[in-house]
Amino acid sequence: MSNSESEILNLELPVMEDFYTIQGEGFHQGRAAYFIRLGGCEVRCVWCDVKDSWDVNAHPKIAVDVIADKAKASGTEICVITGGEPSMHNLQALTDVLKDKSLRTHIETSGAYPITGTWDWICFSPKKFKPPHPSVAAQAHELKVVVFHKSDFAWAEDFAKQVGPECKLYLQPEWSKENDILPQLIEYVKKNPQWQISLQVHKYMNIP
Ligand code: SF4
């Protein structure tokens, strides 16, 4: 296969880091999971805590079967593909090899681009800095809105109208504003119990 065919199929992907840890956020919070952080993001959130991921060319391209072998060897049952913004890559080849190894495939995405690949769990976390593609909301198993400012509650409700009836709804305080935002979240969820609060518990555990 030529290099260009390999690139089109994304048989290699830029990997910033991969590690076995505990999922700290959302519906699967507390479960062991192998995280694969892909390089590349054009969303550019001002409060992003992984800005080193943004440059797609700054990370080594690794073959998807090598990525999957390493994940399987960790002993995990769940692989979480995150970024960066993973939807900027075609992820079909990666999810195919993960599925071949009987691993669950989860993605954390802003939905900036249409989602490719085969997924057991899609965590849709839209960002104001680059509006999501309209196809993504209806596919989400979990909507997770990071609340940075009180105007984000109304923004979150706009997306809650776009997801399916089974989709879990989470509000998560932006980490640097947690002291200010968390009391507002608590009051909001008490009044709007269809939402739940997601905290980044991995940060309390001092794990990645
Ligand atoms: Fe950072 Fe994620 Fe926002 Fe990209 S989408 S800028 S990786 S928080």
Side-chain angles (χ1 to χ4, degrees):
M1 185 175 291
S2 69
N3 281 346
S4 59
E5 281 174 304
S6 169
E7 279 168 20
I8 289 165
L9 292 171
N10 276 148
L11 299 180
E12 294 182 332
L13 289 164
V15 177
M16 176 178 167
E17 57 180 351
D18 52 335
F19 49 91
Y20 192 29
T21 187
I22 303 295
Q23 168 61 280
E25 305 177 4
F27 183 76
H28 294 284
Q29 181 240 296
R31 298 187 70 184
Y34 194 88
F35 278 70
I36 300 167
R37 186 183 305 288
L38 299 180
C41 185
E42 296 168 344
V43 180
R44 311 281 157 111
C45 305
V46 290
W47 41 260
C48 177
D49 58 2
V50 283
K51 292 190 169 94
D52 288 347
S53 70
W54 289 3
D55 182 355
V56 72
N57 296 314
H59 309 284
K61 286 198 161 181
I62 301 178
V64 292
D65 49 352
V66 173
I67 299 171
D69 281 346
K70 206 171 155 197
K72 183 70 179 177
S74 73
T76 193
E77 295 176 353
I78 299 171
C79 273
V80 180
I81 313 303
T82 185
E85 175 39 65
S87 68
M88 71 183 283
H89 307 285
N90 186 326
L91 298 172
Q92 191 62 57
L94 176 61
T95 56
D96 284 350
V97 287
L98 292 172
K99 286 273 166 209
D100 283 348
K101 295 178 187 301
S102 304
L103 293 169
R104 282 181 59 87
T105 53
H106 295 193
I107 187 170
E108 308 249 347
T109 179
S110 74
Y113 309 92
I115 292 176
T116 54
T118 305
W119 299 101
D120 294 303
W121 194 264
I122 295 173
C123 174
F124 171 43
S125 186
K127 304 292 184 325
K128 281 184 171 167
F129 306 92
K130 184 168 173 57
H133 189 274
S135 65
V136 176
Q139 301 175 66
H141 299 94
E142 169 181 355
L143 170 66
K144 185 174 68 191
V145 177
V146 176
V147 179
F148 184 76
H149 184 267
K150 62 183 182 212
S151 65
D152 293 337
F153 291 112
W155 194 72
E157 294 292 356
D158 283 346
F159 286 99
K161 291 181 196 129
Q162 297 174 36
V163 298
E166 303 300 320
C167 184
K168 310 286 181 194
L169 304 179
Y170 289 96
L171 297 170
Q172 180 171 295
E174 196 277 317
W175 179 251
S176 69
K177 297 232 169 179
E178 190 173 270
N179 288 346
D180 176 39
I181 294 289
L182 188 54
Q184 297 180 50
L185 248 64
I186 292 167
E187 289 311 307
Y188 192 86
V189 169
K190 282 160 68 180
K191 289 189 187 118
N192 301 276
Q194 70 274 27
W195 291 94
Q196 297 179 53
I197 294 175
S198 170
L199 298 178
Q200 294 180 293
V201 299
H202 53 295
K203 294 190 175 174
Y204 295 96
M205 292 188 276
N206 286 320
I207 56 174

